[in-house]
Amino acid sequence: MQTQTNPWQQRIFRLSLSLCVISFLSATFTIYAYWREKNQTRETAKNNARQQAISAAKEIDNQLRKLQNSATSIAHDISKGKLKDRQLLERLKSTIEQNPNWFGVGAAYASYTYKSQIRLYAPYYTRKQGKLQLLQLESFYDYTQPGKGDWYIHPLASGSVWLEPHFGAATNTLLAEFSTPFYRLNPKTKKNIPSGVVFANYSPDGLKNLMNSLKLGKTGYGFILSKKGTFIYSHREDWVKEQKTIFQIISQAYKPEKLRVPAQKALKGSKIEMDFQNPLTGQSSWIFFEPIPTTSWTLSAVFIQDEILLNTKSLHHKLLLINLQIISFFFFLFILIFRAYKGSVRSL
């Protein structure tokens, strides 16, 4: 009995074997190239995200310092007598007109300091539906009373301060506020004593406009935390309105201890960066915490890794090529497995 070889079957066998090997090697090489480029792209994207977070924190700090410096300048001019009481309203009005993201600016005098026959005087220019409005805070409540006018009492006693977010009693709006004292000469002691405060503030809408003007990439978003971790700005408006803290949100997360310690360090002024995977969506993210020195607040920027990598055309093309090469490999392997032993024909 002899074995007779069919030439065509031999050629098909050899061609299939060659193409199978070529497909396997090509797929292996492309997978390595994809893995290498993905890591490089990931590292580059992370560096870019880090720089965007740093730049955003600096820009926020610059804008908040501008508000602080403006309020301090008004207080200084009142203290030095450069700004007369009759000129105050015009100065307050022109200041807020020049700063469209601010919610309001005002001054509050200590009892009988503005005029001997007037106990309290607190003009406050604020924005309502895009228009300037002058409010007299003393007509709404006694701001010298503890629990009602902490924005007035604290700086008068201890000096300039960025306050924790609070609802303005006259505007019923959550405010991020800076307040600084001004001084008047006491005729008896001949010493300057705190005689009122100048204050300026942002509302959530103002901070939202400020954040929207920053460059956090197509997949990035940010939020601002107070010294105690309270949300001053967030894409989740309910967190701001309900004055939630980051620790309340973390406590609801998967493995909260992974986030709690970094958040605590960040609120103390440390720069923190970490990888985080959302247990609900499965998305991998980078989280950066950057200090805002002027206010001792913290900016947190979040970037979705998966979206950044998916938006890379080169990686997308390589992934398609890998799929085609793997399909080719298994196609030719299938031919080999089911036809290799049919390459010869038995004859009598």
Side-chain angles (χ1 to χ4, degrees):
M1 184 175 64
Q2 287 184 320
T3 300
Q4 186 177 4
T5 304
N6 186 319
W8 284 105
Q9 289 181 343
Q10 281 189 338
R11 292 192 186 101
I12 292 173
F13 173 79
R14 290 170 183 168
L15 180 61
S16 298
L17 180 61
S18 299
L19 293 175
C20 184
V21 172
I22 291 171
S23 299
F24 175 78
L25 294 175
S26 298
T28 302
F29 175 78
T30 308
I31 289 172
Y32 171 75
Y34 173 82
W35 173 81
R36 184 177 179 180
E37 183 179 344
K38 183 178 180 180
N39 285 342
Q40 290 176 342
T41 301
R42 183 180 182 277
E43 194 60 32
T44 300
K46 186 175 183 179
N47 288 335
N48 290 339
R50 183 188 296 113
Q51 290 305 315
Q52 288 170 359
I54 292 172
S55 297
K58 286 182 178 179
E59 181 59 26
I60 291 289
D61 189 63
N62 289 338
Q63 294 299 323
L64 295 174
R65 189 184 302 114
K66 182 180 179 182
L67 179 146
Q68 176 177 301
N69 290 344
S70 294
T72 302
S73 176
I74 295 173
H76 175 270
D77 289 349
I78 294 175
S79 300
K80 295 297 182 180
K82 295 179 180 179
L83 181 63
K84 306 301 182 183
D85 291 339
R86 65 180 180 274
Q87 301 170 318
L88 178 62
L89 290 181
E90 184 58 35
R91 177 73 172 271
L92 295 177
K93 184 179 181 181
S94 64
T95 298
I96 194 170
E97 284 176 338
Q98 295 167 18
N99 297 279
N101 281 333
W102 293 16
F103 181 74
V105 61
Y109 286 73
S111 297
Y112 301 108
T113 301
Y114 177 67
K115 289 183 179 180
S116 59
Q117 67 272 29
I118 298 177
R119 179 172 174 262
L120 299 178
Y121 180 68
Y124 176 42
Y125 268 105
T126 183
R127 282 190 170 86
K128 187 174 183 180
Q129 297 178 346
K131 296 182 179 180
L132 291 184
Q133 181 180 26
L134 176 61
L135 302 179
Q136 293 296 146
L137 296 184
E138 74 277 6
S139 65
F140 290 89
Y141 61 98
D142 184 347
Y143 53 80
T144 64
Q145 296 298 311
K148 294 183 179 181
D150 291 344
W151 56 269
Y152 167 84
I153 296 171
H154 289 173
L156 204 63
S158 306
S160 303
V161 63
W162 277 93
L163 302 164
E164 282 290 306
H166 66 281
F167 276 93
T171 60
N172 195 32
T173 301
L174 188 68
L175 301 174
E177 186 165 83
F178 172 76
S179 190
T180 186
F182 61 83
Y183 300 84
R184 289 280 174 85
L185 185 68
N186 187 312
K188 294 182 179 179
T189 63
K190 302 300 181 181
K191 293 182 178 180
N192 284 326
I193 59 172
S195 301
V197 302
V198 175
F199 56 94
N201 43 51
Y202 274 98
S203 70
D205 287 340
L207 289 172
K208 182 179 180 180
N209 293 336
L210 195 57
M211 290 295 292
N212 287 341
S213 69
L214 302 178
K215 296 179 180 179
L216 289 176
K218 295 180 180 179
T219 64
Y221 62 91
F223 48 87
I224 301 175
L225 303 170
S226 74
K227 289 184 285 187
K228 294 183 180 180
T230 304
F231 284 95
I232 298 175
Y233 166 80
S234 172
H235 64 294
R236 286 284 303 270
E237 294 183 1
D238 55 318
W239 292 357
V240 177
K241 290 179 180 178
E242 296 171 14
Q243 294 185 267
K244 288 186 177 294
T245 69
I246 190 172
F247 301 108
Q248 289 175 304
I249 304 304
I250 287 174
S251 66
Q252 302 170 9
Y254 178 69
K255 295 184 178 180
E257 64 279 359
K258 186 178 180 181
L259 291 171
R260 186 178 293 111
V261 173
Q264 289 171 339
K265 291 180 179 179
L267 294 179
K268 293 179 180 179
S270 297
K271 290 174 172 280
I272 303 291
E273 60 181 67
M274 57 183 297
D275 289 3
F276 177 72
Q277 186 172 39
N278 190 318
L280 299 178
T281 64
Q283 287 182 318
S284 296
S285 304
W286 294 304
I287 304 177
F288 299 91
F289 291 97
E290 287 290 329
I292 302 175
T294 296
T295 58
S296 297
W297 295 347
T298 300
L299 171 78
S300 180
V302 181
F303 298 87
I304 311 300
Q305 296 180 38
D306 299 341
E307 292 182 8
I308 293 173
L309 294 176
L310 283 175
N311 289 331
T312 305
K313 290 183 179 180
S314 178
L315 287 176
H316 185 65
H317 291 159
K318 280 188 173 64
L319 194 59
L320 289 176
L321 183 58
I322 289 170
N323 290 333
L324 290 174
Q325 290 170 336
I326 291 175
I327 291 172
S328 298
F329 168 72
F330 281 108
F331 173 75
F332 293 116
L333 184 63
F334 176 86
I335 292 176
L336 289 173
I337 291 174
F338 289 95
R339 294 194 179 185
Y341 52 84
K342 294 182 180 181
S344 59
V345 179
R346 291 179 180 275
S347 60
L348 293 176

